[in-house]
Amino acid sequence: MTQREALQQQAEQRQQVLDAFSHHLLVCAGLGCLHNDEIIKALRKEIAAQGLEQQILVRKAGCMGLCALGPLVLVLPDAVYYQTVTPQDAGEIVAALGKEPVQRLLLPADLPFFSKQQKKVLALSGRIDPENIDDYLAAGGYASAVNAITAMSPPEILRIVGESGLRGRGGAGYPTGLKWATVAQAAGERKYLICNADEGDPGAFMDRSVLESTPHAVLEGMLIAAYAVGAHTGFIYVRAEYPLAVKRLQLAIREAERNRLLGQGVCGTSFDFTVQLRLGAGAFVCGEETALIESIEGRRGTPRPKPPYPAENGLWGSPTLINNVETYANIPLIIARGAAWFAAQGTEQSKGTKVFALTGRIKHAGLVEVPMGMTLREIVFEIGGGIPDGHAFKAVQTGGPSGGCIPAEHLDAPISYESLSALGSIMGSGGMIVMDDTSNMVDIVKYFMEFCMEESCGKCVPCRVGTAQIHSLLQKFCDRQASADDLAALETLCDLVKTTSLCGLGQSAPNPVLSTLKYFRQEYLDRMADPSGPHQEGQL
Amino acid sequence: MPTPPSDLHLQDKRWETIDRVMRRHDFRQDALIETLHAAQDAFGYLDADTLRHIAARLKTPPSKVYGVVTFYNHFKTKPKGEHTLVVCTGTACHVKGNDRVLAWMEEHYQLKPGDTTTDNRISLLEVRCVGACALAPVVIADGSIIAKKSLAESTAMIREWLNDAA
Amino acid sequence: MTPIPPHPPETAQTLNLTINGRQVSAQAGETILEAARANDIFIPTLCFLEGLSAQGSCRLCMVEIAGSAKLHPACVTRIQEGMEVTTETERLRDYRRNIIELLFSERNHVCAVCVASGHCELQDLASELGVDHISFPCRYPTLAVDASHRRFVLDHNRCILCTRCVRVCAEIEGAHTWDVKNRGIRSLIMADFDAPWGDSETCTGCGKCVHVCPTGALFEKGLAVAEMRKQRPALPTLVANRATEQR
Amino acid sequence: MKKLRFATLWLDGCSGCHMSLLDLDQRLLDLADMVDFVYSPLVDVKIFPEGVDVACVEGAVSSAEDEEKLRMVRRRTGLLIALGDCAVTGNIPAMRNVLGGQKILQGVYLEREHLNAQIPASHLPALNEHALPLHRFVPVDFFIPGCPPSADTLFAALGALVAGRAVDLPALTRFGA
């Protein structure tokens, strides 16, 4: 029996096991659903007490998205969601199986949070047990990788990824196919693959959730990429602050190795690919690819000037492919369904779907996946349910601490790399933080600048000193001691830091200031020293 | 050359785990960060003797080791208190008021992020986003999450926890 | 640090480019800075020092390249056939001036009482670029002076974190006594495990760091204001000699 | 031609810049041909007059009194020149800024004084927390760095200003020169 057939059989066996149960209770076991382990225990205890172990299966699952109303429990095949479940609800939930659902806990079936989304990357998230490779196999997992490695040539894969129009989901939106082709063509005996899971943007948890929910999808994407570019060693650089993601990745790597999906002779072919984890250590700048490489090499995570790009001269001087978690997670889908299927979603230049972490002053905070081109208004007001407690929307900040703040008048802008950039923001990795009328923009921007200042590696002068200078200027505004000169200096410094900094962190650090100077200038003016009052400039 | 660390320190069983990590990387210099993780997991923090030993084993210049240790927020060169309160200062938690939790901690317990009480009982730490933004604001007391609470609620819970802990 | 690989001599090929409208030719693999200097075209630099790895961190050598909206650091950007480089524009001058001002504002630079006054690259560049005052508020950090070494002193107040000392010690002397601790605005040069210089177990006392330091941050003891003349060691010669000896 | 009304002011500095002015020697006569000295520590006038054309200010701003004087000079003057490093960058007086005003007073008058240790308070202007350059308080039109700028520099700079010519200051002077 070939490896391919063996995996097929394993998947079928698992499916038979799953099919043997009349009901499945999937409990979200993501970081965001607190006490999920107790809920699982309570459900199992209840089922055992009623002797229903053969009929009802309780499964640990990945993130279901609506973290604001967690812990969530999904009942299959009914596709009923229960919200804010506690262990005490176990009896009622089990009793209601096959009958009327528990109204008290029921999430409305037509909630736009679910109906407006198009889950592709997240399709299996919350539907399978992330700690069980058989669950992933049964859901069709690894079929793309096996097919790619046993039946496709690397150029064929490069062509499909290129034609799909997929762009890097880590922030800059570089065409993935182009990057892969560069690495594939780069001269060098040894090539490396890196998965950037150093999701450092405060307010963003897309990668954490994908890693916690479908770690095998990321491994599968990496495997396909490695085969396509000719890399035999891969690294996943993941934040140490994500212990659950780390644990599930470790487990996933072990299980993939045991099933000969990683290691020597993948799928019985002569292709070798091993994956190792590297833990980040709390430095936002390591999300920048060259800094990440420095960090894997055991050094201070300071970025290197580009060019040379990692695709030509990366880890230990070898051609290196770096993509982020969500980018890799898209690959198995593209291989399975084809470039045309992927390219049919999204906008002309930004194809596919994008996962966003919707947080801040919003009703339905959580993880969402929408096609590119959806408007911010739809995301915030329909999927997100709008602003709670009767407050008014003020701005949505996309792209993490170095993204821009987009005001209400641009809520109808469609989400794409181009449109966000035109609005003075960035796609970033997908953080989306909603602010309402209780937020003061100058305070918020000072918070972002403090973040950038503290996370600046200190290597280049404009970012090291410039962010600190901008931060003190913003402090002057907060203290109502700023002058017109300070406003001018703020603009000069932002331009300097943006234009001359060495890496993306510095180059984008002024974005929050620049976007709020554009859209919320009055808030700066309101916080200047009273020109008729005593001259305060000397006060530092 | 750097002086070898004291033997007493090395007799600690925990060094076996750390040595295993270094061996897995053939004692290459690029194992530094992985080794520091292992050492901090084992000892709770990285003291001078630990760093000396790691530098010697990985044949890495001391200044390079210290440069790495001080670059990354995660590495601590001082022991933590017996109990830790972690305040998430990610954007979502900031927007929802964790800055005021920090101010409250300073006002009521004279603790700033990174500080440990003089009796070594409690440490206050801040982290840049634990990634549980939908639960904002998030405070973690000895590993258990306090989430989605108002300032009054969360400070009351912290006070209770501190009283139990201290 | 990104050591630029040595130019491959066999494939050395002459490329033509223009710098400030002037036709110049240079070897493939050379940087814009090398090509400019070979043709006596001045581009300001601080972190760059011939013989050390280039790291492109001071951002003073940023130049414009036709067809690119971004600015490019001349010290790490390789020339290409037909490249049109501009090293002097009002915009570049403004950015360079601002960067010099940022450096002055970062720490406590008091030229009037500095041993290196008159022989300081930061002071010279301020003059060269017409920086006649510091428009940003100075930060006045409290920083130590390490005079624990028998012959040398490290004054953090005058350090601009160019890391020439770190690189010369690691790459040329091979001691790697120096490195940077902390990060961002809190970065500091330090020896060993943050030891006083005099207690360093790795320092060979060679003094190269002192002489490559562009400011008065590293200097010899016993000198008064303006007396510290830096004698740049001939680093390319050192590198070449060592390569010959080790062959 | 009507002569320019010229003034100089001495704030927190060592008076070295004014010494440079005196160093002009016989060229002082040339200067006197070009301008009228209407106020200066070097002349016997007690009140800074209105309608001054050019004022050179030496020294950093270190006290409330310095601040007040500077603002008054700015109001009454057309062209304000920061003369010398203390006025331009804060220079030596600003070396105390790493400690702050109160700490420096304590250190000097209390901690290192054994006889009758006390901080002089009466009849003295309060020390600001930081000694700062002029442009942190008022707009400055022209900066002449140097510690002190040489007599040649001053003569060239002032001569050019009076004549309305451009002057290449960096060629003449620099910080610390």
Side-chain angles (χ1 to χ4, degrees), chain D residues 6-10 18 21 37 39-42 48 54-57 83:
Chain D
F6 182 74
T8 73
L9 184 74
W10 177 22
H18 277 85
L21 209 56
F37 266 84
Y39 182 89
S40 170
L42 307 176
F48 195 96
V54 179
C56 286
V57 181
L83 177 64

Side-chain angles (χ1 to χ4, degrees), chain A residues 68 208 239 281 295 299-300 447, chain B residues 67 72 74 89-91 131 148:
Chain A
R208 172 183 68 72
R239 295 182 79 200
S295 187
R299 285 198 281 265
R300 293 166 60 85
Y447 162 82
Chain B
Y72 295 97
H74 183 76
T89 54
T91 314
K148 290 200 269 192

Side-chain angles (χ1 to χ4, degrees), chain A residues 397-471:
Chain A
Q397 207 244 9
T398 68
S402 44
C405 297
I406 300 170
E409 66 253 39
H410 292 296
L411 270 175
D412 290 313
I415 285 287
S416 72
Y417 293 99
E418 293 72 30
S419 66
L420 288 176
S421 159
L423 290 174
S425 187
I426 50 173
M427 176 78 77
S429 53
M432 208 176 257
I433 296 155
V434 178
M435 293 164 227
D436 66 13
D437 50 17
T438 61
S439 304
N440 179 287
M441 298 317 279
V442 183
D443 287 338
I444 295 280
V445 165
K446 194 192 77 169
Y447 162 82
F448 290 134
M449 195 48 68
E450 184 179 343
F451 178 87
C452 291
M453 173 177 84
E454 285 179 5
E455 296 298 334
S456 166
C457 78
K459 181 174 178 174
C460 79
V461 182
C463 177
R464 181 181 76 233
V465 196
T467 53
Q469 285 284 7
I470 294 174
H471 182 259

